[in-house]
Amino acid sequence: MAETQQNGIHIRPFRSEDRQAWEPLWQGYLTFYKTSLTPEVTETTWQRLLDQAEPMHGLAAVLDGSVVGIVHYLYHRSTWTVGNYCYLQDLFTSEEARGRGVGRALIEAVYEKAQADGASRVYWLTHETNTSAQALYEKVAARSGFIQYRKVF
């Protein structure tokens, strides 16, 4: 992906040297959703994000020289289209970066990348209580109306 700049926010793919900046944001995301993962899962996730052969990708938002936001997305097949769908799985910005357009810039960068890669849609989930994120999401996408069900093993 070409790097982009919007309102002073630099969006670029993760680099191996981003690990120290990525992990606190990743842990902040997990804490927000009141969950935790083993170090093995975190390490595997990081390695997948850097592996060009993986369908999982990540972007960093850099503001004033610091990584202040992250997004993870992946491609998967669908029975409803020839091309892939793009699932925006995780989006998180640091507390000090909120309200500065970082989340929107990351979403738009995923849109740009997914469209260039031939995906027919980008979609994501958020918790019903995450009203501050929903305020942004209502501006950049349409609510699908679908309800998620799951069984965890």
Side-chain angles (χ1 to χ4, degrees):
M1 172 192 162
E3 299 182 16
T4 61
Q5 184 126 359
Q6 183 180 51
N7 299 329
I9 304 161
H10 184 78
I11 307 295
R12 61 167 174 74
F14 288 135
R15 302 174 185 153
S16 58
E17 61 267 20
D18 289 331
R19 175 67 187 259
Q20 280 189 309
W22 170 82
E23 190 153 354
L25 293 166
W26 174 235
Q27 293 302 326
Y29 177 81
L30 296 174
T31 298
F32 178 82
Y33 281 110
K34 298 176 176 63
T35 193
S36 63
L37 298 172
T38 66
E40 176 187 23
V41 172
T42 292
E43 178 62 27
T44 299
T45 297
W46 179 249
Q47 293 306 318
R48 287 175 176 163
L49 291 167
L50 296 180
D51 186 344
Q52 295 296 317
E54 283 284 339
M56 185 181 292
H57 308 278
L59 300 173
V62 180
L63 189 60
D64 301 326
S66 297
V67 176
V68 297
I70 59 173
V71 66
H72 307 144
Y73 62 99
L74 56 98
Y75 295 110
H76 67 85
R77 302 222 185 269
S78 169
T79 58
W80 290 24
T81 184
V82 173
N84 287 329
Y85 285 171
C86 178
Y87 177 53
L88 191 158
Q89 188 164 18
D90 311 306
L91 175 70
F92 190 77
T93 64
S94 65
E95 193 72 40
E96 63 273 7
R98 295 196 183 135
R100 298 181 68 183
V102 174
R104 179 188 289 262
L106 285 165
I107 292 169
E108 289 177 357
V110 172
Y111 285 170
E112 179 184 316
K113 181 66 173 139
Q115 188 171 25
D117 289 343
S120 61
R121 76 170 58 161
V122 174
Y123 73 101
W124 62 91
L125 305 170
T126 194
H127 196 271
E128 63 189 15
T129 61
N130 192 357
T131 55
S132 61
Q134 288 175 50
L136 168 61
Y137 301 160
E138 296 287 338
K139 294 174 186 167
V140 298
R143 191 182 295 219
S144 70
F146 282 89
I147 299 169
Q148 182 192 40
Y149 294 89
R150 74 170 71 165
K151 179 170 177 68
V152 178
F153 298 103

